[in-house]
Amino acid sequence: MEVNTRIEFITSGTLTSPRGFYAGATYAGIKKKTDGVLDLAILFSEVQCAATALFTNNRMKAAPVLLCQQRLKTGKAAAVVVNSGCANAFTGEAGLADAAEMADLAATGIGLSPEDVLVASTGVTGEPLPLKLIRAGIKQIALSADGGHDLAKAIMTTDTVPKEAAVSAGDNEFIIGGAAKGSGMIHPDLATLLCFLTTDAGVDIAFLIESLKKAADTSFNMVSIDGDTSPNDTVLIMANGLAGNEPIKAGSEQAEVFQQALDHLCSYLAKSIARDGEGATKLIEVTVSGAVSLDDARRAARTVVSSPLVKAAVHGNDPNWGRIIAAVGRSGVEAVESKIDLYLGDICPVKAGSPKPFDRKAAVEVLKKDAVSISVNLNLGTATATAWGCDLSEEYVTINSEYTT
Amino acid sequence: MEVNTRIEFITSGTLTSPRGFYAGATYAGIKKKTDGVLDLAILFSEVQCAATALFTNNRMKAAPVLLCQQRLKTGKAAAVVVNSGCANAFTGEAGLADAAEMADLAATGIGLSPEDVLVASTGVTGEPLPLKLIRAGIKQIALSADGGHDLAKAIMTTDTVPKEAAVSAGDNEFIIGGAAKGSGMIHPDLATLLCFLTTDAGVDIAFLIESLKKAADTSFNMVSIDGDTSPNDTVLIMANGLAGNEPIKAGSEQAEVFQQALDHLCSYLAKSIARDGEGATKLIEVTVSGAVSLDDARRAARTVVSSPLVKAAVHGNDPNWGRIIAAVGRSGVEAVESKIDLYLGDICPVKAGSPKPFDRKAAVEVLKKDAVSISVNLNLGTATATAWGCDLSEEYVTINSEYTT
């Protein structure tokens, strides 16, 4: 369906850009103290929202994930309290009680029923949640209509920059905002640690669930940093309806507009996560076309962007294209070597499976870019998919050798 | 079945330790010249052998793999010619012709029919095989009864040490020798680049096929260096029968002895590959017990040993055990958090899913060892498996950022 409504990024947009959302953050002392550091935040909607989330596929789910899964059965929520520095994962029964108490503390602070408050955590696993710090911290949080920026900062761990944005549809008919954190332990599915999305559109809960899944499939599920997946992965969306529209239902024209706006925002956030992967110096964008199925295209693109050898070669500006073909071959998708075309940017070292003489210097220049584009055409079908990741640097190892010590 | 036959490693054993095997190597100029470097070798049996091999599961198979698959349909071979420095992979029709010509050159040199000669290559992909160098090099190779050591050196690429050994059964009733090379692009299945195994036992081809698969399942298929798989992976076994025994058949007592000896040798070589992974500073051994199935135990052990975050933590001597549990959770095997016991060496930070206070200094000492042992008991069933890998160091990235340039 062709959509004529204009979808645009809002300057300095964040998850409090949609009407009726407020946020605030503080430094509670959970993370190491540095200049301007924040580690505890609250997101709040002045009216109850339709809400749904996607969670980690890791069988070991962190306590906050288990709590959210339980509370979101109603399809409703009004606030989230989130901390960084401690993931409250692998913490057993005590961890579950801690997550519930964290929600209670926030609910009391805001004046909501605990059932309306969700919880998220990110950081070191296997350590108990420092409730004392959280108790004191929550009292210090002041909510404001541009507090989204602080929340985006407060959820960072090894992230080097906050990731946030907002898009508007039409003449501010509705807005969708979002903030995410990524950095390590990032792999499909679900390739993010935490992402919060807010919208003032009125959205039917059934469509909201479908729409979030669709958006994640082409964004967060197409990002890989390191092949590990976290027990805390959560992508949450809350729709408060303050734009005043009729609730958007599947199949309507408004549904198309909403989907495009959400896809747009999620892709932006997913790419921001890839670009800021632990130790990353550049973004890698891999497009696989000509696949026999969308599943094949996605799997091949994800395998290439996840390959440590491809990632290390891109890091060293080394046009070692054999590693790309090897990764396609390893992915197990339908592929015939003699049909494959391969491009590094617009340089073509392989046509119909045969190595071609290519301008090595120009290929090195392509790899030196901030965003490196790799394209593989399998020439077997019509399906296409794009995956995002980052290079593998010595810094990734250094960061992850010294995380808890 | 209890086996009473003694199985022992032979001092300085190699793949020419079994009766009737000869090998030799030379420097043909394919790899960069350094002191004592070798890059072209021949392995030869004075009588035709029963022969079988396991090959890469990568869909893009290198030319030598395709040629061997074809020739091994007869279940027979008498020699192998192998080079390092150029993998002859992603080289199309021309690559196939080059592989066949390489076999022809060796066959002429030794005085065999080309159909009896197999080919293997390892090194840079996407470059044509330098036949001129190989043609001249093959003429310089002198075969000898202790030439196995030179072959083991000649197949090295980023390997820092040759990997070779031999085991004898009983009072030299029969011997099995082997040489392998690994280093990068190592992941189940099939977790090696090249491995050649020789035996003077007479072995029925049907049992040889079954036995090699069984041995690989608990050795090469349990090793991961980096999650990538090569288009050249080959594990070949040749049995020439010069020990004079009745050909070993499945179900016999001799079959048990042979299996144990082969398992022993393959485990040794697989561990040598893991320990010498690119940039590795230590061996990691992960045992998962209490799984509901062998498949689950294997998958979980392999996932933990492959996790970049676990590998980086071990590199940094960081007892960040949450990453181990997260990897078990990601593997998708049957697991219940509240049942899991976890050990770093003999230190237990997690019992029945709950973090326990543990001696952090002692755990750091465990991680500082040359061989780091991680054990996870799922406490759900009786299946156990062990996987091997290595730590992830800055050096891995450095090696792989600069491989072709």
Side-chain angles (χ1 to χ4, degrees):
Chain A
M1 202 186 293
E2 193 61 39
V3 169
N4 292 316
T5 310
R6 207 172 60 246
I7 293 164
E8 281 179 338
F9 278 97
I10 295 173
T11 311
S12 302
T14 181
L15 82 179
T16 45
S17 298
R19 300 165 187 89
F21 284 97
Y22 301 84
T26 188
Y27 175 65
I30 312 166
K31 284 196 300 205
K32 220 178 97 182
K33 187 161 178 74
T34 53
D35 257 7
V37 68
L38 299 167
D39 57 12
L40 184 65
I42 289 174
L43 170 67
F44 165 71
S45 165
E46 63 186 43
V47 298
Q48 204 186 42
C49 304
T52 183
L54 300 169
F55 297 106
T56 182
N57 285 315
N58 196 306
R59 276 192 183 244
M60 309 295 167
K61 297 186 201 315
V65 166
L66 295 171
L67 189 82
C68 288
Q69 283 184 322
Q70 187 58 38
R71 294 204 171 160
L72 281 169
K73 283 180 185 165
T74 60
K76 287 176 188 159
V80 190
V81 54
V82 53
N83 75 280
S84 58
C86 174
N88 193 10
F90 316 132
T91 44
E93 287 296 322
L96 277 171
D98 287 350
E101 189 170 340
M102 183 166 155
D104 285 355
L105 290 165
T108 306
I110 318 168
L112 283 173
S113 135
E115 290 72 42
D116 274 336
V117 181
L118 303 173
V119 180
S121 298
T122 177
V124 179
T125 58
E127 309 258 332
L129 200 64
L131 265 181
K132 208 171 154 184
L133 299 175
I134 287 170
R135 196 172 292 121
I138 280 177
K139 291 183 187 153
Q140 294 163 26
I141 296 176
L143 300 173
S144 80
D146 66 350
H149 302 298
D150 278 351
L151 187 144
K153 273 183 215 148
I155 58 178
M156 291 163 65
T157 56
T158 51
D159 307 70
T160 65
V161 290
K163 290 137 193 110
E164 53 180 341
V167 292
S168 70
D171 190 18
N172 269 345
E173 277 167 37
F174 66 83
I175 296 171
I176 314 179
K181 65 92 53 210
S183 225
M185 231 188 225
I186 302 290
H187 196 61
D189 323 79
L190 186 66
T192 181
L193 284 188
L194 299 178
C195 176
F196 304 111
L197 299 160
T198 54
T199 181
D200 49 20
V203 188
D204 173 68
I205 185 70
F207 174 65
L208 194 64
I209 291 168
E210 175 194 322
S211 177
L212 181 63
K213 212 195 149 314
K214 225 170 175 178
D217 273 346
T218 55
S219 58
F220 304 117
N221 282 339
M222 295 304 288
V223 174
S224 176
I225 306 290
D226 56 10
D228 273 310
T229 56
S230 145
N232 292 66
D233 289 346
T234 301
V235 178
L236 168 72
I237 188 163
M238 296 167 71
N240 69 10
L242 289 177
N245 59 307
E246 273 294 297
I248 302 172
K249 285 195 157 64
S252 66
E253 192 182 331
Q254 275 303 85
E256 287 294 318
V257 177
F258 186 81
Q259 189 68 56
Q260 286 203 9
L262 188 60
D263 288 353
H264 220 55
L265 179 64
C266 288
S267 286
Y268 174 86
L269 292 172
K271 274 194 261 189
S272 305
I273 287 172
R275 189 187 292 272
D276 192 33
E278 282 174 343
T281 70
K282 47 192 143 188
L283 175 72
I284 307 180
E285 181 168 285
V286 176
T287 298
V288 171
S289 59
V292 295
S293 69
L294 185 58
D295 188 54
D296 266 18
R298 283 186 176 159
R299 190 162 7 135
R302 280 158 38 153
T303 306
V304 173
V305 97
S306 309
S307 157
L309 289 173
V310 171
K311 289 154 63 78
V314 170
H315 180 64
N317 306 317
D318 178 0
N320 193 341
W321 57 262
R323 294 178 178 174
I324 298 166
I325 307 268
V328 171
R330 166 164 70 89
S331 75
V333 306
E334 286 295 323
V336 178
E337 195 178 322
S338 63
K339 298 209 166 194
I340 295 176
D341 301 335
L342 185 144
Y343 289 85
L344 303 172
D346 53 4
I347 311 285
C348 178
V350 181
K351 188 82 190 167
S354 289
K356 297 279 162 212
F358 66 100
D359 183 343
R360 204 170 185 87
K361 264 195 187 163
V364 168
E365 288 310 312
V366 165
L367 296 172
K368 278 186 179 166
K369 286 188 183 169
D370 268 2
V372 173
S373 152
I374 296 173
S375 316
V376 177
N377 192 334
L378 300 174
N379 286 308
L380 292 177
T382 55
T384 295
T386 299
W388 297 281
C390 61
D391 56 331
L392 174 61
S393 70
E394 287 87 350
E395 186 66 12
Y396 174 86
V397 181
T398 307
I399 291 168
N400 284 301
S401 315
E402 298 168 352
Y403 191 61
T404 65
T405 46
Chain B
M1 202 187 294
E2 193 61 41
V3 169
N4 292 316
T5 309
R6 209 172 61 246
I7 292 164
E8 281 180 338
F9 278 98
I10 295 173
T11 312
S12 303
T14 180
L15 83 178
T16 46
S17 298
R19 299 163 187 89
F21 283 97
Y22 301 84
T26 190
Y27 175 64
I30 311 166
K31 284 196 299 206
K32 219 177 99 181
K33 189 163 180 69
T34 54
D35 259 6
V37 68
L38 298 168
D39 57 11
L40 184 64
I42 289 175
L43 170 67
F44 165 70
S45 165
E46 62 186 43
V47 296
Q48 205 186 42
C49 304
T52 184
L54 300 169
F55 296 106
T56 180
N57 287 316
N58 196 305
R59 274 189 184 245
M60 310 295 167
K61 297 186 200 316
V65 166
L66 295 171
L67 189 81
C68 288
Q69 283 184 322
Q70 188 57 38
R71 295 205 169 159
L72 280 169
K73 283 182 183 163
T74 60
K76 286 174 189 160
V80 190
V81 56
V82 53
N83 75 279
S84 58
C86 175
N88 193 11
F90 317 133
T91 45
E93 288 295 321
L96 277 172
D98 287 350
E101 189 170 341
M102 182 166 156
D104 286 354
L105 291 166
T108 306
I110 318 167
L112 284 173
S113 135
E115 289 72 42
D116 274 337
V117 181
L118 303 173
V119 179
S121 297
T122 177
V124 178
T125 59
E127 309 259 331
L129 200 63
L131 266 183
K132 208 170 154 185
L133 299 175
I134 288 170
R135 197 172 291 124
I138 280 178
K139 291 183 186 154
Q140 295 163 24
I141 296 176
L143 300 173
S144 80
D146 65 350
H149 301 301
D150 278 351
L151 187 145
K153 273 182 214 149
I155 58 179
M156 290 164 65
T157 56
T158 50
D159 306 70
T160 67
V161 290
K163 289 133 193 122
E164 53 180 340
V167 292
S168 70
D171 189 18
N172 269 346
E173 277 168 38
F174 66 82
I175 296 170
I176 313 179
K181 66 90 54 207
S183 224
M185 233 189 225
I186 302 290
H187 197 59
D189 322 81
L190 185 66
T192 179
L193 285 187
L194 298 178
C195 177
F196 304 110
L197 300 160
T198 53
T199 182
D200 49 21
V203 189
D204 174 68
I205 184 71
F207 174 65
L208 194 64
I209 290 168
E210 174 194 322
S211 177
L212 182 63
K213 212 194 150 315
K214 225 169 175 179
D217 273 347
T218 56
S219 58
F220 303 117
N221 282 339
M222 295 305 287
V223 173
S224 176
I225 305 290
D226 55 10
D228 273 308
T229 57
S230 144
N232 292 66
D233 289 346
T234 301
V235 178
L236 169 71
I237 188 163
M238 295 167 70
N240 69 10
L242 289 177
N245 61 306
E246 274 294 297
I248 302 171
K249 286 197 157 62
S252 64
E253 193 183 328
Q254 274 303 84
E256 286 294 318
V257 177
F258 185 81
Q259 189 69 57
Q260 287 204 8
L262 187 60
D263 288 353
H264 220 56
L265 179 63
C266 288
S267 285
Y268 175 86
L269 292 172
K271 273 194 260 189
S272 304
I273 288 172
R275 189 187 291 273
D276 192 32
E278 283 174 343
T281 70
K282 48 193 140 186
L283 175 72
I284 307 179
E285 182 168 285
V286 176
T287 298
V288 171
S289 58
V292 295
S293 69
L294 185 58
D295 188 55
D296 266 19
R298 284 186 175 158
R299 192 164 3 139
R302 280 159 36 153
T303 306
V304 173
V305 97
S306 310
S307 157
L309 290 172
V310 171
K311 289 154 64 79
V314 171
H315 180 66
N317 307 316
D318 178 359
N320 193 339
W321 57 263
R323 293 180 179 174
I324 298 166
I325 307 268
V328 171
R330 165 165 67 90
S331 75
V333 308
E334 286 295 322
V336 178
E337 194 177 323
S338 62
K339 297 209 166 193
I340 295 176
D341 301 335
L342 184 143
Y343 289 85
L344 303 171
D346 54 4
I347 311 285
C348 178
V350 180
K351 188 83 188 165
S354 287
K356 296 279 161 212
F358 66 102
D359 183 342
R360 205 170 184 87
K361 264 195 185 164
V364 169
E365 289 309 313
V366 165
L367 296 173
K368 279 186 178 167
K369 286 189 182 169
D370 268 1
V372 173
S373 153
I374 296 172
S375 316
V376 176
N377 192 335
L378 300 175
N379 286 307
L380 293 177
T382 56
T384 295
T386 299
W388 297 281
C390 60
D391 56 332
L392 175 61
S393 71
E394 287 87 349
E395 185 65 11
Y396 174 86
V397 181
T398 307
I399 291 169
N400 284 301
S401 315
E402 299 167 352
Y403 190 59
T404 65
T405 44

